[in-house]
Amino acid sequence: MSTNRFTFITLLALVLILGYLSYLILAPFLAPILWAIVLAIVFYPVYLYLLRSIRWKSLAALIVLLVILLIIIGPVSYITYLLVAEVQALTSRIDTGTLGSTEVILRHPVVRYVIDRVATVFGAPLSEAELRKAVNDTLAALGKRFVDVIPGGLGSIAGVVMDFVFMSFAIFFFIRDGADFLHKGRNFMPFSEEQKNRLAAQIRDIVVSTIYGGVVVAIVQGLIAGIAYAALGTHSPALWGFTTAIASFIPLLGTFAVWGAITLFFFIQGSIVKGFILLLIGVFGISMVDNVLRPILIGARMHMPVLVIFFAVLGGIQLFGLIGLILGPLVLALFFSVIGIFRNLEGGYHA
């Protein structure tokens, strides 16, 4: 074995061992660090805007941090509290058999006719009791799973407070020194300057199109929908607003999959006025956001297919908890960017 080959294998082994040990050291703090990275990316444009008038980087970063903390402590905490409370209440109503909305839907003649036709294709028609039990069991399972996902395994109150402090500390430095971190990271990449610039441009475009063009649009649509549901007296408006945000990633149907179903429920229930109001809000409000806001945010930047983002969001939530809503598409976007660079490198090697 040559000296160079032995040296390479030794260095690779050291990198793997030290990398694994580094992971074990940082593992207890991964959740606050990941939240800090995501929030720093989302609010970094605000920091750049402040730097135009505030030349002191630390002060600009501190102002952005305060804005983030106000948003987290205020609206985000309240919405999270509503989500957990509504899901727990919904699960309780399902367990006690007091969920009347499913009864209204399942007993409607048109709905019952469609269900019977579909059931006949796959086997014997279901009885009303069997169908009600199947729907309630499914909703209960989804509700319990959702309650587990929202807290994200935060643990005790003391653990939440400590994670919040660590996250705030990390956000400040990621915002203030983020550009320096990235610049130093470029030096460790075994690429030419042209390839580094191409990778940086691709990552920037995909991050912007994924986070701002995907997640931000979904959040805005969810907020509009949640406010509309609450104003119209819908049960669990925060839960349905969150569901609408997730549904914005569904190809073809998008948010219509949720607000359209609720509109139909209003009509079935006999609330014709509420149904028409939600229909107007859905067409000219919730759905219009995607057509207006997305082009403004991402412009001509490349972006991942909606179907890919949809599965990235679901898989991200499954793997990381609530932060997966943002982290899932972000990780997948970075993966595609790196794959693109390697393809260019391979083409250069074969040339």
Side-chain angles (χ1 to χ4, degrees), residues 94 99 102 106 115 130-140:
I94 293 172
L99 188 62
T102 56
L106 296 178
I115 293 175
E130 292 173 334
L131 184 60
R132 184 170 60 251
K133 183 178 185 304
V135 172
N136 288 343
D137 289 346
T138 302
L139 291 176

Side-chain angles (χ1 to χ4, degrees), residues 116-173:
D116 287 341
R117 299 287 75 78
V118 174
T120 302
V121 174
F122 295 98
L126 296 173
S127 65
E128 182 176 333
E130 292 173 334
L131 184 60
R132 184 170 60 251
K133 183 178 185 304
V135 172
N136 288 343
D137 289 346
T138 302
L139 291 176
L142 290 175
K144 291 175 181 177
R145 173 61 184 161
F146 191 78
V147 170
D148 294 336
V149 167
I150 287 296
L154 292 177
S156 63
I157 297 298
V160 173
V161 174
M162 290 304 299
D163 283 347
F164 190 81
V165 172
F166 293 145
M167 182 193 69
S168 303
F169 187 73
I171 288 174
F172 174 81
F173 286 100

Side-chain angles (χ1 to χ4, degrees), residues 17-167:
I17 293 172
L18 293 176
Y20 178 68
L21 291 176
S22 299
Y23 166 76
L24 294 179
I25 293 172
L26 295 176
F29 313 102
L30 277 182
I33 290 175
L34 291 175
W35 274 113
I37 292 173
V38 169
L39 292 172
I41 292 174
V42 171
F43 286 90
Y44 195 74
V46 180
Y47 170 72
L48 294 179
Y49 177 79
L50 289 177
L51 280 182
R52 297 177 183 177
S53 54
I54 302 176
R55 298 300 179 182
W56 190 14
K57 291 184 178 181
S58 296
L59 180 58
L62 181 60
I63 294 175
V64 175
L65 174 61
L66 292 177
V67 171
I68 295 174
L69 295 183
L70 287 176
I71 293 175
I72 294 175
I73 295 174
V76 172
S77 297
Y78 181 66
I79 292 174
T80 303
Y81 166 77
L82 287 179
L83 281 173
V84 175
E86 289 179 2
V87 173
Q88 290 175 338
L90 182 63
T91 304
S92 176
R93 290 168 60 197
I94 293 172
D95 292 337
T96 56
T98 58
L99 188 62
S101 55
T102 56
E103 303 287 338
V104 174
I105 296 175
L106 296 178
R107 288 178 180 175
H108 193 275
V110 175
V111 175
R112 187 67 207 188
Y113 174 81
V114 173
I115 293 175
D116 287 341
R117 299 287 75 78
V118 174
T120 302
V121 174
F122 295 98
L126 296 173
S127 65
E128 182 176 333
E130 292 173 334
L131 184 60
R132 184 170 60 251
K133 183 178 185 304
V135 172
N136 288 343
D137 289 346
T138 302
L139 291 176
L142 290 175
K144 291 175 181 177
R145 173 61 184 161
F146 191 78
V147 170
D148 294 336
V149 167
I150 287 296
L154 292 177
S156 63
I157 297 298
V160 173
V161 174
M162 290 304 299
D163 283 347
F164 190 81
V165 172
F166 293 145
M167 182 193 69

Side-chain angles (χ1 to χ4, degrees), residues 31 43 77 153 200 214 220 261 269 301 321:
F43 286 90
S77 297
V220 173
Q269 198 179 31
R301 292 181 172 90

